[in-house]
Amino acid sequence: MTARGGDVARAAALLSAGGLVAFPTETVYGLGADAAREDAVARIFEVKGRPRAHPLIVHLAPEARLDDWAIEVPELARRLAAAAWPGPLTLILRKGPRVAAATTGGADTVGLRVPAHPLAQALLRAFGGGVAAPSANRFGAVSPTTADHVVADLGGDVDYVLDGGACEVGVESTIVDLSRGRPVLLRPGGMPREAIEAIAGPLAEADARAPAAPGTLEGHYAPRAQVIAVSLDEVAAAAEAASGRVAVLAPASAFARWPGLRARAYPLPDDAAGMAHALYAALRELDAAGVDVVIAALPPAAGLGEAVGDRLRRAAGPRWPRSRESE
Ligand code: TXA
Ligand code: MG
């Protein structure tokens, strides 16, 4: 039986002893270890089955000083941190010496964020250091948004699961690279682009020079079922053409357009934030129900819709390990 509950002191003591603790954040659950300890961080990669060159995000308490974890911190990073933290924004900066080399996969940059979930903050305060944490799922799978998801994925491989209920945002943090001059959007996520651009100006798109990031490989965030991501107008035809057990994942109000739909209806909230909150649990539920094909309606790209669309497109992409970095 996996140990789980709300014991922050126990979770912090396990981190101090080099253990692995899954904990809730406002985005998804993280699989945490002491970011300053090579041996502890090595266990994350083992348990997740993640290639060691793929860097982890370091989570900090609200009181933490940016300069303890990063060097050459640009002014824009301070402004974004002041505006967005605690919250679903990860900043890529030049790595400070306190961060273990394993945490960043050997890279000279580090991803930092201050999560907004009260239990995450309590854990970070009780522990007193930085916590390196990827999403608490096996490599390539859908991120967990409840403690049950974590236990289902990682079982006894984690020393403790801090249970904080369902994650509010539901998709991972937005990642902005500030380590190479102008700000680059590496991953759309829980903080909408519009909110970041209001402070940072237009964000450049990731190009070939951007560091390899597993979350940016196709075939990530994929459930077992085949996902077909289409516009609302294409849903009916796609459902008609699909074979096997078919489900349609779409805003609740859209189903009135498809009276004769021969597929299981899985209505999501109509607003993008509601969709993000429900998305990963929906994909897991459809997998558990034995659905073969999920026809997913892509939302407009505004607000959290950009992150939802991004995850749906990736879920629809070719599966791991067929992508370029299988190792
Ligand atoms: O919301 C989130 O970000 C969640 C919660 C737990 O905080 N974490 C998360 O971690 O999604 P993970 O490891 O599943 O995804 C982190 C992404 C990866 O694509 C990783 O490559 C990228 O962040 N990343 C981390 N450090 C980086 C760095 N130094 N340079 C470029 N990308 C980095
Ligand atoms: Mg992940």
Side-chain angles (χ1 to χ4, degrees):
M1 265 273 290
T2 312
R4 67 188 274 185
D7 191 343
V8 170
R10 177 176 174 186
L14 282 164
L15 287 177
S16 299
L20 291 188
V21 171
F23 63 99
T25 79
E26 76 280 33
T27 58
V28 302
Y29 274 73
L31 175 63
D34 184 345
R37 260 177 85 154
E38 306 284 350
D39 59 336
V41 170
R43 276 191 67 203
I44 293 180
F45 289 93
E46 268 158 42
V47 164
K48 240 190 107 93
R50 168 153 159 162
R52 280 168 204 280
H54 290 169
L56 308 174
I57 294 171
V58 176
H59 298 71
L60 302 173
E63 301 75 26
R65 283 167 22 94
L66 212 42
D67 302 276
D68 284 344
W69 300 95
I71 56 169
E72 297 165 29
V73 177
E75 215 269 314
L76 177 57
R78 298 190 199 280
R79 276 194 287 140
L80 281 174
W85 288 352
L89 175 66
T90 295
L91 300 177
I92 307 295
L93 299 167
R94 300 277 322 262
K95 171 187 174 301
R98 229 174 130 170
V99 182
T103 298
T104 65
D108 61 359
T109 56
V110 62
L112 298 175
R113 97 173 179 96
V114 175
H117 196 292
L119 264 188
Q121 293 186 0
L123 176 67
L124 289 160
R125 286 186 174 124
F127 171 59
V131 173
S135 51
N137 52 284
R138 302 269 182 215
F139 191 56
V142 176
S143 294
T145 53
T146 67
D148 281 344
H149 295 164
V150 176
V151 171
D153 275 10
L154 302 179
D157 287 347
V158 45
D159 297 312
Y160 192 67
V161 180
L162 201 52
D163 189 346
C167 301
E168 195 179 323
V169 175
V171 292
E172 300 83 351
S173 61
T174 305
I175 303 180
V176 175
D177 183 5
L178 296 175
S179 71
R180 298 177 302 144
R182 62 186 194 144
V184 178
L185 180 68
L186 293 186
R187 176 177 77 181
M191 183 163 184
R193 171 201 291 271
E194 297 89 331
I196 301 166
E197 292 190 331
I199 296 161
L203 296 171
E205 303 305 315
D207 57 25
R209 289 191 311 136
T216 61
L217 296 178
E218 293 190 339
H220 237 69
Y221 310 103
R224 187 195 47 76
Q226 182 195 0
V227 175
I228 299 175
V230 293
S231 70
L232 263 186
D233 293 338
E234 297 164 323
V235 165
E240 200 62 41
S243 50
R245 274 167 292 187
V246 182
V248 168
L249 196 60
S253 65
F255 284 91
R257 301 162 58 153
W258 312 305
L261 188 69
R262 282 207 308 268
R264 170 176 170 165
Y266 196 110
L268 291 176
D270 283 321
D271 64 301
M275 232 178 248
H277 172 77
L279 180 67
Y280 289 156
L283 291 174
R284 282 173 183 264
E285 207 176 308
L286 291 171
D287 263 356
V291 164
D292 301 304
V293 183
V294 178
I295 313 290
L298 291 163
L304 284 181
E306 184 176 10
V308 171
D310 173 78
R311 303 307 188 270
L312 285 174
R313 285 195 185 86
R314 290 184 200 288
R319 290 302 161 77
W320 192 264
R322 277 189 282 141
S323 47
R324 63 189 163 95
E325 289 186 31
S326 49
E327 42 185 285

